Amino acid sequence: MSESTAAATAHSFDKILNQTRVGSKSRSSGEVDDPTKKLRRLILVEGIPSSVDPTLRPRIWKILLRVSDLPAETFIEYVARGPCEVREKIRNDTFRTLATDRGFKERVREDMLVRLLDAFVWRNHDKQESQQLGFTYVQGMNVLAAPFLYTMPSELEAFFCFSKFIEESCPLYVQPTLEGVHRGLKLLDRCLKIVDPELFAHLRSKNLSAEIYAFPSVLTLCACTPPLNQVLQLWDFLLAFGVHLNVLCVIAQLLLMRDDVMKSSSPMRLLRTFPDLDAVPVIGIAVTLVRDLPAELSSLLCCSRPVVKIL
């Protein structure tokens, strides 16, 4: 994208954002949804030009997650409680979060991750009697928190966006049994068998199911695959259209390395570490794949915001 095109796109985003007031009492839900649909379409067609305006992504993520209330006193109260009951488990993971990404390490300190995750556990400790699903810290949550701390201007905004994301977008992914992750992996196998039966058969001939080679990618919504700037671009798409589309994004990565996988007698050597993420072709393939799936499967992936309808 040229500099002039990026600037024009940033202006288009800004215009839509000015129309979208999630927390405004003067706007009906229908009035809010219309500009939000425009926002999703622009994300899909143009991508967010965050290099031109670094404020765009955090503003857009808050709208997509419907986060408007940011009570600082609530977050401060959670932090003031100190270590939660699973602090040791949190610390076992936080030090290695995106450990090879210098830009992330320069912007997000380990104590920020620990604080956010402690506060999240305290938040749900207080809410456990009033909600169907309980939440505590589970492995992988540190990686899911990382993009929010990197993207948001403050820990306060990162905390409330992360909490809304976990509790509403992917609650089953972070249950102690990781039920949502295992469902996603089974769905990945079902989808791959339909969109590329030859590749599916080759992997199965080597006793490779998605549970074996795709677990980290499904668990972290591809945040485990560098570089971070591409992860953020992929998450723009997932937050706009539904995190379960990540299943197709993982398949897209498989298809991009298909020739090498098909030639390999030991494909797990290739699949142990996916190639660096390239968000644009991955999203493009995922959008194409969702059109090729039976309605039953595409409805499971797209939730209430089908990408096909946007197009």
Side-chain angles (χ1 to χ4, degrees), residues 1 24 37 45 52 65 98-99 109-110 116 128 136 138 140 143 159 184-185 190 199 203 251 285 293:
M1 185 184 294
S24 173
K37 286 180 181 178
V45 175
V52 173
L65 290 164
L98 306 188
R109 302 185 311 275
E110 184 186 358
L116 183 149
Q128 60 188 352
T136 184
V138 298
V143 182
F159 169 73
L185 291 163
R190 288 177 64 190
L199 178 57
L203 292 172
I251 291 177
I285 293 170
L293 291 172

Side-chain angles (χ1 to χ4, degrees), residues 94-148:
T94 50
F95 76 93
R96 57 183 173 221
T97 305
L98 306 188
T100 61
D101 191 297
R102 181 179 296 178
F104 175 77
K105 287 297 184 183
E106 288 175 355
R107 188 180 299 187
V108 181
R109 302 185 311 275
E110 184 186 358
D111 64 287
M112 294 165 65
L113 263 174
V114 172
R115 235 183 339 264
L116 183 149
L117 294 168
D118 267 336
F120 178 77
V121 174
W122 283 124
R123 167 187 168 95
N124 284 281
H125 179 273
D126 289 354
K127 293 171 63 178
Q128 60 188 352
E129 292 183 3
S130 62
Q131 58 188 10
Q132 279 188 310
L133 287 174
F135 296 93
T136 184
Y137 177 79
V138 298
Q139 190 173 25
M141 206 179 268
N142 57 310
V143 182
L144 293 174
F148 292 103

Side-chain angles (χ1 to χ4, degrees), residues 57-221:
R57 180 167 281 127
R59 291 162 66 198
I60 290 167
W61 281 19
K62 281 188 284 187
I63 285 171
L64 294 174
L65 290 164
R66 295 188 179 274
V67 171
S68 56
D69 191 20
L70 299 166
E73 66 279 2
T74 302
F75 179 60
I76 291 169
E77 193 271 329
Y78 292 143
V79 171
R81 294 188 195 181
C84 69
E85 59 187 6
V86 289
R87 163 64 77 85
E88 186 176 349
K89 190 175 181 181
I90 290 172
R91 288 299 300 273
N92 283 340
D93 292 337
T94 50
F95 76 93
R96 57 183 173 221
T97 305
L98 306 188
T100 61
D101 191 297
R102 181 179 296 178
F104 175 77
K105 287 297 184 183
E106 288 175 355
R107 188 180 299 187
V108 181
R109 302 185 311 275
E110 184 186 358
D111 64 287
M112 294 165 65
L113 263 174
V114 172
R115 235 183 339 264
L116 183 149
L117 294 168
D118 267 336
F120 178 77
V121 174
W122 283 124
R123 167 187 168 95
N124 284 281
H125 179 273
D126 289 354
K127 293 171 63 178
Q128 60 188 352
E129 292 183 3
S130 62
Q131 58 188 10
Q132 279 188 310
L133 287 174
F135 296 93
T136 184
Y137 177 79
V138 298
Q139 190 173 25
M141 206 179 268
N142 57 310
V143 182
L144 293 174
F148 292 103
L149 281 168
Y150 184 85
T151 297
M152 293 296 155
S154 68
E155 288 183 50
L156 176 70
E157 290 162 283
F159 169 73
F160 283 105
C161 287
F162 170 75
S163 297
K164 190 78 174 286
F165 170 74
I166 292 293
E167 293 163 10
E168 296 187 8
S169 297
C170 56
L172 294 180
Y173 277 57
V174 293
Q175 293 303 300
T177 60
L178 303 180
E179 180 184 347
V181 179
H182 294 296
R183 286 187 188 183
L185 291 163
K186 289 176 182 176
L187 195 54
L188 197 157
D189 276 330
R190 288 177 64 190
C191 292
L192 182 60
K193 188 175 183 179
I194 291 169
V195 302
D196 196 330
E198 187 181 9
L199 178 57
F200 175 81
H202 178 65
L203 292 172
R204 277 306 173 96
S205 73
K206 307 299 181 183
N207 296 315
L208 292 177
S209 66
E211 285 272 358
I212 296 172
Y213 65 81
F215 188 89
S217 294
V218 173
L219 173 68
T220 66
L221 302 178

